[in-house]
Amino acid sequence: MPQDVVRFKLLGRRRETEALDRVLREVRDERSQVLVLRGEAGIGKSALLDYVAAQASELRVLRAAGVESESDFTYSVLERVCAPLMRYLDHLPPHQVNALHVAFGEADGEPPKQLVLGMAVLMLFSFAAADSPSVCLIDDAQWIDRHSRQILMFVARRLDAESAALIFAERVTEAETTLPGLPELAVGALQDADANALLDAALPGPVDARMRDRIIAETRGNPLALMELPRGLSAAELAFGFGGQAGGPLETRVEEGFRRRIEALPADTRTFLLVAAVEPVGDVLLLWRGLERLGIGPEAAEPAEAAGLVTVGAPIRFRHPLVRSAVWRRADPATLRRVHAALAEATDPDSEPDRRAWHLAYATAGPDEQVAAALEGSAGRALTRGGQAAAACFLDRAATLTADPKERARRTLAAAWAQLDAGAPARVPDLLAAAALGPLDPLQQADAARLRGKVSFMMNPGLASVAPLLDAAARLRELDPAAARVTSLMAIGSAMWAGRLDPNAMRRAAERARDLPPGDDVAGLFLRALIAWAFEGPVAAAPALAEALHAFTDSGEFVLLWLASNAAMELGDLDEWSRITENAIAVARTTGSLSILSTALTYRAGAVAYLGRFSEAYELLAEAAATGEAAGLATHQVTKVIAVVYQGRERPALDLIESIERDAEQRGMNRLHGTAGFARAVLYNGLGKYPIAMRAAQHGVEHADLGLHHWAQSELVEAASRAGEQDVAARAREAMAAWSRSATPWSLGARSLADALVGPDDEAEEHYRAAVGHFAGGGLKLFEARAHLLFGEWLRRQNRRAQAREELRTAHEACTDIGMEAFAERARRELLATGETVRRSTVGAPELTPQEAQIARLAANGRSNPEIARELFLSPRTVEWHLRKIFGKFGISSRRELDAALSAR
């Protein structure tokens, strides 16, 4: 590239370079930084990465880039990022070292769990940063393979106190960012003055002012367009706006400009560029070997390098990804096959069997069983590395090269399963349609039906997925009874989520499940319990649910955690709810299962909220969201709404409730309407707006949602009795009486409270005291505090002021400690009515972030920094840095003082 153009590469980028300079200053000051540069193609993102590399010359600089043709190769980008860091392997525990070796194809073993691999890469960054401040630059992030992206985002969210930075450059597309939740810096168009200056450097000569204005307008301040579109055009051609080629998207026109420059090169140079474009890693030795087989020498590269299209080095770098695209698009199919064949021949079949198979696949015009079998072998190796997406692509291509219809259908079906496991359910229906064209045996047909149902459940876990799941279960009935039972449970789960959208859906699903062979496994026990729940009602189903829940606790089959948690909620068994979620989190952390961990954290947050630990609930939800993002999973807001409505802040609570209701409508998950009714009832009971609370609770109980309907009934008893609607309250009391047969502290306490609110006054005191006792015995601090409040309010109405004050003071203190602001205010107003002066509660304790609070609690419990780091997926250095901040906030100097400081908070 001419030197006069180089000087203008960062013209007009003062804002961006200052932001990047701040990043480097933070890294030099031992603080981690993460930044995503986002902008359209050619806007200057790569130039900004070059700027960082130049400014960080004394630091360790790691560079990698996503390549479109490699976006399905598992861990391809991660391997390039980690290659310079592998010398720190000796610092890692053996299971992390093994995970890295398996992921990068250097060893055989079980597919690495994402958490284990993520921690391994995080520790590599941490040890490398301790040795020398590091900056990792990743270009074209939109093409990073899915598995690399998940691990890099995991690391990005957990880098904190290391001298390290991760800077991504991502092209803006119609799709959402591939790096959600990370700090962004938008890279926009150049201002007109800067655009004119850059155009001066690129123009072949003087151009009329009106034509200049037209060129500036057409390029929209895009630096690459300003530098590349005028190349090779005369002043006369430019007079009509880049040779009269003003139409079409700017990106396409820039690529067309590169294509014109490529066409002007010698034939051997064009072939050199095509080989370089097809070989995405930039392996110079492989490139030369491939060219040698095509009869082309290294001198063919010189004209392309002189034209500024490519830089020959280790690795080879294209001027811009659009150059690679232009090279690729201009090649005819026969030439592409010839280039792939040369690269396949040049690739070592022992060290790089998968890349060789990939090149052979695209060098083959028609069916070829030998190549198809090689691709299937590559798919198997990809699966051992945890690369479902790569396996799916290998299998899909293998199927297209398979002549035998039966084998083609089998490989296509296997590709469909791999796509589902890779988290790409939207790609499955087309593959299933292709598989259906071949002869599938009965088991394969049932397998395809089950896959179709699972896809429907993942994409829309509501009414639409019930029918396909039931169809799959019916097909599997004789062929695989265990799979049929699990599939039927998913169908009932879909009906459960559909809720009032189709009140009979769960009953229909249970009716179909009745015909399945019985089983004594956990799925079979749950299936019998849910069939009983649908046909005989909650009371009759309670013993079967309790049996299934007990079996689940001992089995460790955490794929059914969602069902076990709802069963515990249905029974009102907070002890079991807490136990299974705590166990699931421990197992998920040990095994590295992100999907189970995200689910377990969310359900665990609900359990600890009812234990009166809102801060811990929020911490768990924050971790669940981060874990879910790392796993590519969405986390629902149901648990969060419990804590928010109990805090009693009306506007934030209503915003969240309305968000849940919108989600219910958009996704057909009408169970969320029951959640919204319950949440509104809690909110308005806390605020003392009982008629509104009653209507909301009635909406919540319109449909019997498994695990939730008792919650709304409890709120309805209080709201209706206080609103003077005794008939409504009495019916809700009957529901509480039925629930109490499960004999858990929660259900017994709810019944006693309902009896106190609705029954005779001369029995109320006994019931209030019984309710307090049941809730206290079960650790249900939320309900214990509310029972004290209701008892105190009743005593005041009985004109027993001294006793009322005692109960109300207890309620006020408990509600304040927990964070139940609206209920605390209710207690304060009642105390004022008894003649006692009570100040509004104020918060004077230091504010800790959710992560700081988690670290503080674990440290207070005696965990060491490495132990905390392992549990929270952080580096020990980050834990140490957070502890210093926590000590500063509390004004303490040692871990011994933490417990007292947290208790005071």
Side-chain angles (χ1 to χ4, degrees):
M1 184 183 297
Q3 288 300 310
D4 58 344
V5 175
V6 172
R7 289 188 294 106
F8 287 95
K9 284 182 71 176
L10 294 180
L11 190 67
R13 294 299 181 204
R14 181 175 178 179
R15 178 181 67 91
E16 291 84 353
T17 55
E18 286 179 348
L20 294 168
D21 288 341
R22 286 194 295 273
V23 168
L24 292 176
R25 283 197 300 273
E26 291 289 310
V27 170
R28 293 184 178 105
D29 289 341
E30 300 186 357
R31 285 296 312 277
S32 301
Q33 291 288 293
V34 175
L35 188 63
V36 180
L37 305 175
R38 296 198 73 223
E40 64 182 11
I43 206 66
K45 303 181 297 296
S46 300
L48 288 167
L49 294 185
D50 291 340
Y51 172 83
V52 175
Q55 297 299 109
S57 57
E58 85 283 12
L59 309 181
R60 177 189 286 109
V61 178
L62 313 173
R63 293 201 76 155
V67 179
E68 189 173 12
S69 60
E70 258 209 336
S71 58
D72 287 316
F73 274 74
T74 305
Y75 299 123
S76 56
V77 171
L78 187 69
E79 187 173 4
R80 292 198 288 275
V81 168
C82 291
L85 306 179
M86 298 298 274
R87 58 180 168 147
Y88 297 100
L89 278 182
D90 291 344
H91 298 282
L92 272 57
H95 71 288
Q96 292 182 3
V97 174
N98 183 64
L100 286 165
H101 285 317
V102 173
F104 298 155
E106 299 166 356
D108 295 328
E110 290 293 317
K113 296 294 186 182
Q114 289 175 307
L115 285 181
V116 177
L117 189 57
M119 281 302 298
V121 177
L122 176 63
M123 296 310 293
L124 284 180
F125 269 85
S126 180
F127 286 117
D131 189 21
S132 173
S134 305
V135 177
C136 180
L137 308 174
I138 302 178
D139 208 349
D140 287 315
Q142 73 278 0
W143 290 327
I144 298 175
D145 64 277
R146 177 174 176 267
H147 290 79
S148 292
R149 182 170 62 249
Q150 287 181 341
I151 298 300
L152 289 169
M153 288 186 67
F154 177 91
V155 172
R157 291 194 174 97
R158 282 156 180 80
L159 282 173
D160 205 337
E162 287 77 19
S163 298
L166 268 173
I167 304 177
F168 302 88
E170 181 185 42
R171 184 183 299 183
V172 172
T173 63
E174 292 182 1
E176 294 182 2
T177 174
T178 60
L179 302 165
L182 300 185
E184 290 186 5
L185 176 64
V187 183
L190 295 178
Q191 297 296 317
D192 284 353
D194 296 317
N196 273 286
L198 191 57
L199 182 60
D200 283 338
L203 286 172
V207 174
D208 180 80
R210 288 174 299 175
M211 293 303 101
R212 286 177 62 89
D213 291 343
R214 181 175 177 179
I215 292 169
I216 294 293
E218 288 177 8
T219 56
R220 300 193 303 275
N222 185 293
L224 185 68
L226 285 161
M227 289 191 292
E228 296 298 334
L229 289 182
R231 284 178 180 272
L233 298 178
S234 67
E237 290 172 318
L238 285 168
F240 293 97
F242 298 129
Q245 299 177 8
L250 184 61
E251 182 177 322
T252 303
R253 291 161 55 206
V254 173
E255 186 177 316
E256 177 61 22
F258 284 131
R259 190 194 63 77
R260 289 199 306 269
R261 290 165 62 186
I262 294 164
E263 293 287 356
L265 296 172
D268 282 356
T269 301
R270 295 198 300 270
T271 304
F272 156 78
L273 285 172
L274 183 58
V275 176
V278 169
E279 199 295 295
V281 179
D283 186 335
V284 179
L285 295 179
L286 177 60
L287 176 68
W288 298 142
R289 291 198 302 270
L291 286 168
E292 183 181 359
R293 284 157 175 77
L294 293 168
I296 297 173
E299 66 278 359
E302 294 173 4
E305 194 165 22
L309 294 172
V310 71
T311 300
V312 178
I316 288 178
R317 292 183 63 189
F318 279 90
R319 161 81 175 86
H320 191 274
L322 290 178
V323 178
R324 187 192 294 270
S325 299
V327 170
W328 209 317
R329 293 180 201 280
R330 68 164 297 282
D332 61 90
T335 303
L336 263 175
R337 286 196 295 272
R338 191 163 60 91
V339 165
H340 275 294
L343 285 169
E345 188 179 346
T347 301
D348 186 342
D350 295 323
S351 62
E352 293 284 357
D354 300 334
R355 292 193 186 282
R356 184 174 183 275
W358 190 253
H359 285 305
L360 282 173
Y362 284 94
T364 305
D368 188 316
E369 180 55 30
Q370 188 174 0
V371 175
L375 286 168
E376 190 167 13
S378 294
R381 285 188 292 275
L383 288 174
T384 64
R385 301 166 64 191
Q388 291 87 354
C393 290
F394 283 129
L395 288 165
D396 191 10
R397 184 61 180 165
T400 64
L401 298 177
T402 303
D404 179 69
K406 187 175 181 179
E407 275 295 281
R408 185 169 59 247
R410 179 185 66 79
R411 284 168 173 159
T412 304
L413 186 58
W417 273 108
Q419 288 288 13
L420 182 73
D421 292 338
R427 299 183 183 182
V428 173
D430 288 344
L431 289 169
L432 285 176
L437 297 175
L440 295 175
D441 62 33
L443 182 57
Q444 288 174 322
Q445 291 174 7
D447 206 33
R450 182 160 62 112
L451 179 54
R452 190 174 292 109
K454 289 190 73 169
V455 167
S456 179
F457 184 79
M458 288 181 67
M459 298 183 71
N460 183 17
L463 189 61
S465 61
V466 176
L469 284 166
L470 289 174
D471 176 59
R475 291 173 180 268
L476 288 163
R477 183 182 185 279
E478 302 297 336
L479 299 167
D480 190 342
R485 288 191 290 272
V486 173
T487 305
S488 287
L489 280 178
M490 292 175 62
I492 292 174
S494 293
M496 186 177 82
W497 276 108
R500 63 199 68 200
L501 186 64
D502 184 348
N504 296 315
M506 190 167 175
R507 188 180 179 90
R508 289 200 307 274
E511 177 70 40
R512 294 278 295 274
R514 273 178 163 176
D515 296 332
L516 295 176
D520 292 327
D521 56 354
V522 173
L525 292 174
F526 269 124
L527 198 56
R528 284 204 295 272
L530 291 178
I531 291 171
W533 196 91
F535 284 101
E536 300 171 41
V539 175
L545 273 176
E547 181 186 3
L549 191 58
H550 180 73
F552 172 84
T553 304
D554 295 335
S555 72
E557 294 187 20
F558 293 109
V559 69
L560 294 176
L561 178 63
W562 64 274
L563 182 52
S565 296
N566 277 281
M569 291 154 52
E570 173 67 23
L571 296 170
D573 195 337
L574 185 61
D575 281 345
E576 200 66 24
W577 186 3
S578 299
R579 189 178 300 113
I580 62 176
T581 52
E582 186 173 26
N583 190 27
I585 289 171
V587 171
R589 291 191 195 282
T590 302
T591 60
S593 175
L594 279 176
S595 58
I596 290 175
L597 181 59
S598 178
T599 302
L601 288 165
T602 302
Y603 280 113
R604 175 74 179 160
V608 300
Y610 280 113
L611 290 167
R613 307 201 303 253
F614 285 171
S615 295
E616 186 178 347
Y618 281 125
E619 293 157 20
L620 291 166
L621 288 172
E623 187 180 351
T627 305
E629 286 176 348
L633 301 169
T635 52
H636 58 70
Q637 299 288 317
V638 173
T639 303
K640 184 178 180 180
V641 78
I642 296 171
V644 171
V645 296
Y646 265 102
Q647 286 181 301
R649 299 175 186 174
E650 187 171 8
R651 190 63 260 167
L654 288 176
D655 288 343
L656 184 57
I657 293 169
E658 289 163 5
S659 171
I660 287 174
E661 289 172 328
R662 287 193 297 272
D663 202 25
E665 294 299 326
Q666 292 167 3
R667 302 178 64 191
M669 297 167 63
N670 276 39
R671 173 183 169 87
L672 294 175
H673 281 300
T675 303
F678 154 73
R680 274 197 171 87
V682 172
L683 175 66
Y684 287 114
N685 270 334
L687 294 171
K689 300 179 180 180
Y690 300 112
I692 302 176
M694 185 187 74
R695 290 193 295 273
Q698 286 175 313
H699 180 63
V701 301
E702 282 175 356
H703 180 77
D705 292 302
L706 179 76
L708 294 179
H709 61 114
H710 301 307
W711 298 3
Q713 291 283 10
S714 296
E715 299 302 324
L716 184 56
V717 173
E718 180 176 340
S721 63
R722 288 304 180 83
E725 298 288 345
Q726 295 306 315
D727 289 345
V728 175
R731 287 193 294 273
R733 177 195 184 188
E734 291 173 7
M736 293 295 94
W739 187 35
S740 68
R741 294 178 193 173
S742 65
T744 61
W746 192 343
S747 64
L748 292 171
R751 178 189 180 154
S752 294
L753 203 58
D755 289 341
L757 286 164
V758 180
D761 259 4
D762 59 355
E763 299 176 4
E765 181 170 356
E766 177 187 350
H767 292 311
Y768 277 124
R769 294 194 185 281
V772 169
H774 287 308
F775 290 141
L780 290 142
K781 293 189 175 181
L782 259 68
F783 296 123
E784 183 186 354
R786 290 183 66 177
H788 279 295
L789 173 58
L790 288 166
F791 188 20
E793 290 174 334
W794 178 83
L795 286 168
R796 188 185 70 79
R797 290 196 303 275
Q798 299 298 311
N799 206 28
R800 295 161 61 180
R801 294 194 172 194
Q803 292 172 291
R805 289 191 194 102
E806 183 179 344
E807 295 296 328
L808 292 169
R809 276 196 297 268
T810 300
H812 184 264
E813 290 170 4
C815 292
T816 301
D817 289 345
I818 293 170
M820 298 163 59
E821 298 174 15
F823 289 98
E825 176 60 17
R826 242 177 77 180
R828 190 187 74 87
R829 289 197 303 267
E830 288 287 328
L831 279 167
L832 290 174
T834 68
E836 182 164 319
T837 302
V838 185
R839 294 181 179 178
R840 293 180 186 270
S841 59
T842 58
V843 179
E847 287 293 327
L848 299 182
T849 67
Q851 191 170 83
E852 287 172 348
Q854 283 180 298
I855 291 170
R857 185 182 304 106
L858 291 170
N861 289 335
R863 305 287 184 88
S864 67
N865 285 5
E867 288 172 336
I868 296 171
R870 282 195 298 271
E871 183 157 337
L872 299 183
F873 314 118
L874 302 169
S875 72
R877 187 184 180 96
T878 292
V879 172
E880 180 184 356
W881 180 78
H882 276 301
L883 277 173
R884 288 200 301 268
K885 287 179 62 181
I886 293 164
F887 289 172
K889 288 183 176 183
F890 281 127
I892 60 177
S893 58
S894 72
R895 290 170 181 255
R896 292 190 300 273
E897 302 171 86
L898 262 178
D899 191 45
L902 287 173
S903 297
R905 176 173 176 263

